Amino acid sequence: MDTDQHEIYEYARKRIKQKKGLYFHFVLFILGSIFLFIANKWIGISEPNNWYIWAITSWLFVFILHFIKVFITDSFMNKNWEREQINRLMMTQEKKIEQLKNEVENQKPTE
């Protein structure tokens, strides 16, 4: 397997792992929400306060952040984006180095 194919494989494996983690988080969120609801309503843990709504809402917010990271942020900030950013920074550094070399060469020695 050449380098490009290996890189594509590793990226695909990483994305699958991220999506799998997100799906697991979703299932855990659903089961946890059901448990919190049951703990509040049927078991009667602090029943008049309805604290489970705040817990589920907070957990939903964290799940939404996880979703955004997996499907939005990481989908456009992939290997191609990284490569493009690295190339841009390298070109900028090379231009600065070239400019400094020209400045040094153009300076007259003072004796």
Side-chain angles (χ1 to χ4, degrees):
M1 187 181 313
D2 67 345
T3 306
D4 289 338
Q5 285 180 336
H6 182 68
E7 195 172 286
I8 291 169
Y9 170 78
E10 285 298 318
Y11 177 73
R13 192 176 65 75
K14 178 185 168 198
R15 290 291 293 159
I16 298 268
K17 188 176 179 181
Q18 285 179 332
K19 289 178 182 180
K20 184 179 175 184
L22 181 69
Y23 298 146
F24 178 75
H25 189 178
F26 179 72
V27 169
L28 191 63
F29 169 71
I30 296 298
L31 294 176
S33 298
I34 292 169
F35 173 76
L36 291 174
F37 176 77
I38 290 171
N40 186 274
K41 292 296 180 181
W42 288 345
I43 299 174
I45 300 174
S46 207
E47 188 174 346
N49 294 334
N50 289 333
W51 56 269
Y52 73 97
I53 294 173
W54 291 105
I56 292 172
T57 304
S58 300
W59 198 349
L60 178 64
F61 179 72
V62 171
F63 175 75
I64 290 171
L65 290 176
H66 191 178
F67 179 87
I68 289 170
K69 181 187 182 313
V70 170
F71 283 108
I72 297 173
T73 306
D74 286 350
S75 68
F76 75 86
M77 289 184 164
N78 54 19
K79 287 289 181 184
N80 293 333
W81 180 84
E82 286 179 24
R83 215 176 278 129
E84 189 178 300
Q85 295 302 313
I86 289 170
N87 288 338
R88 186 183 317 159
L89 288 173
M90 287 175 56
M91 292 299 291
T92 304
Q93 289 173 350
E94 287 175 5
K95 285 179 185 177
K96 286 182 181 179
I97 290 171
E98 205 50 46
Q99 182 182 16
L100 287 173
K101 282 182 182 179
N102 289 337
E103 287 178 10
V104 168
E105 288 175 0
N106 290 335
Q107 287 181 348
K108 293 182 182 177
T110 55
E111 293 182 24

